[in-house]
Amino acid sequence: MLFLFVCVLTVVAVVVVWPSDPGRYLPGDFWPQGKGFSAGDFDRTTMRLGLDLRGGCYLALQADPPADYKGDLGGALTGAKRVIERRVNSLGVSESEISTASGNRIVVEIPGVSCTEAQQQVGRTASLQFKVVNDEGEIVPALGSPDGKTACPPQRLGAPIPEGCAVMTGQYLKNNTIPQRQTTTNLVEFETTGIGSTLLEQITSHALQFDPNDPRRRLLIYLDDQQISNAVVQSVISDRGVITGQPTFSDARDLSDLLNNGALPIPLKSIQSSEVSATLGEDSVVESVHAGEVGLLAVALFMILYYRLPGLLAALALGVYTATTLMVFKLWPVTLTLSGIAAFVLSVGMAVDANILIFERMKEELRRGRTLNAAVDIGFRRAWTSIRDSNISTLITCLILYWFGNQFGATVVKGFALTLAIGVGISMFSAITVTRTFLKMIVGTPLAQNHWLFNAEETKQRTPAGRAAESSGGG
């Protein structure tokens, strides 16, 4: 069953990642042309490449506040920058570059898109809206009446706003939201303005009718159709409120910035846009692929020469790993830069390292006279702790790198960390599941009796104690 799953996964992965012009990356001109992958609204025909490999769009946006604006322009600009980062790089894999510049400007570089697409993506004013769950379980705008007298229960999704009702939005929040750190939690304090206090009082009063575990008790906050807060209403809120339960102070600070930017949105106008050429170019992509192919072949050749039949199976597992990882990169999608390619190559090395640990343990058991089935089981069991600990250590390092990249706006570091983490996770699956499945397939065949194929010729006669240990520990 596992073998069938591995075969299906491999076929799907190869179909998804197969290039539209394989002759550019593979030797010979007999390869079938690829058509990319498309399903419904999803269309991914090529890998998403970063600025250094494909180029993209350069945008310079300038703050254009109203004439009577009296808020903190610098703080609002920082908030606008965070909103743009959230739109184009929320997972740290698009490798966009966003920074503030003199003259109240924000500079944005996005790979693989036209300037028209980039302006549509980042140039609109942030829209912050409060939402609730209605009786049908739909997430709908939170309504109240400005006069405080008209009942405004949650409407059906898509229904028009009733006359005399208004939606609670970011324009009814003051620009003084602040994060705070308390002993047991991190929270955000906010204040309403204008009719916001009346609207929010009605909304929270209605929510308090329900049990705390009921979804209708929750008050949701969305920014650009992305949920940034999901809190249970604990009491009636009017002039001021508190959002508790933020995991870290950094999360509370980010939420505070987003609420502030939604409270006083700063219009951004485009003052410059231009296409950015790739710093390395298409030739670098092709050469990188060729280098990767040579590296994979060299690793496969070493594994086959040294470990013989298990090495051949490991080479096949390495092919499954490569196709599966590239499929994840393509479907996510992960933007590949040279740093991302380096992370992928590093994860390939870790996948091979796991196979080496397993095969060495297997050789030890075969030389003690155990059967192949027992040697496989014991070898995997004894190697697992080393594989687990080394990969967990790498994942912890990735987490630290991602956190630092997030704190300092280093998207290249975030992309490297996430790409490496994906590769490490799939490499564990490849070593523990795929390689083991291949080895189990040859148990019971004549190949299992030939220890030369496993580089374990020095077989010793088993003792009764050894056979007893095999029966109790090896299966």
Side-chain angles (χ1 to χ4, degrees), residues 147-392:
D147 58 13
K149 300 177 182 179
T150 305
C152 300
Q155 303 295 300
R156 290 297 304 270
L157 186 64
I161 305 301
E163 186 177 353
C165 294
V167 178
M168 180 64 189
T169 64
Q171 64 179 309
Y172 303 126
L173 292 181
K174 290 184 179 180
N175 190 26
N176 61 353
T177 304
I178 57 173
Q180 288 193 8
R181 181 187 285 113
Q182 292 189 349
T183 305
T184 58
T185 187
N186 300 282
L187 54 87
V188 176
E189 291 186 351
F190 66 90
E191 291 186 51
T192 58
T193 182
I195 64 172
S197 59
T198 304
L199 298 179
L200 203 54
E201 182 177 357
Q202 291 178 300
I203 294 166
T204 53
S205 296
H206 181 269
L208 287 172
Q209 301 176 22
F210 305 102
D211 184 83
N213 295 323
D214 194 311
R216 291 172 292 181
R217 183 73 175 261
R218 294 186 171 274
L219 182 62
L220 316 176
I221 305 177
Y222 280 73
L223 182 64
D224 289 336
D225 297 324
Q226 293 184 356
Q227 187 181 108
I228 62 173
S229 180
N230 184 343
V232 177
V233 177
Q234 303 291 350
S235 61
V236 176
I237 302 173
S238 57
D239 294 332
R240 63 177 63 234
V242 175
I243 302 174
T244 61
Q246 301 303 304
T248 65
F249 183 75
S250 177
D251 293 323
R253 184 191 61 200
D254 290 343
L255 178 58
S256 175
D257 288 342
L258 293 173
L259 291 176
N260 280 331
N261 189 69
L264 287 176
I266 300 297
L268 298 173
K269 63 179 181 180
S270 176
I271 59 174
Q272 183 181 354
S273 63
S274 60
E275 301 291 337
V276 178
S277 300
T279 56
L280 297 175
E282 182 65 23
D283 290 342
S284 296
V285 179
V286 176
E287 291 172 0
S288 297
V289 173
H290 289 166
E293 292 170 352
V294 172
L296 286 173
L297 289 175
V299 170
L301 182 62
F302 166 77
M303 295 293 290
I304 293 172
L305 291 177
Y306 191 79
Y307 291 102
R308 301 171 188 173
L309 182 57
L312 176 61
L313 299 179
L316 295 176
L318 197 61
V320 175
Y321 162 78
T322 302
T324 304
T325 305
L326 292 177
M327 177 181 68
V328 173
F329 288 169
K330 193 171 187 178
L331 297 182
W332 190 297
V334 173
T335 300
L336 285 180
T337 63
L338 280 185
S339 64
I341 294 174
F344 169 66
V345 173
L346 182 59
S347 66
V348 170
M350 299 194 67
V352 174
D353 178 67
N355 283 297
I356 289 175
L357 289 172
I358 294 167
F359 295 159
E360 288 296 332
R361 299 296 184 273
M362 282 179 50
K363 285 168 57 178
E364 293 173 1
E365 299 306 320
L366 288 172
R367 287 172 177 170
R368 290 192 178 110
R370 298 189 188 276
T371 63
L372 177 60
N373 187 47
V376 170
D377 289 336
I378 297 174
F380 271 84
R381 188 174 69 245
R382 291 184 175 177
W384 164 243
T385 54
S386 298
I387 297 172
R388 178 198 62 197
D389 294 346
S390 64
N391 282 277
I392 288 178

Side-chain angles (χ1 to χ4, degrees), residues 56-107:
C57 176
Y58 171 93
L59 283 179
L61 306 173
Q62 188 174 48
D64 187 23
D68 57 350
Y69 181 75
K70 298 180 180 179
D72 179 9
L73 187 57
L77 203 64
T78 301
K81 174 177 174 289
R82 288 181 179 272
V83 171
I84 294 174
E85 287 177 339
R86 187 180 182 88
R87 289 173 180 168
V88 303
N89 199 32
S90 59
L91 291 178
V93 296
S94 72
E95 299 289 357
S96 58
E97 298 179 11
I98 304 168
S99 60
T100 56
S102 60
N104 298 323
R105 292 181 299 154
I106 299 177
V107 175

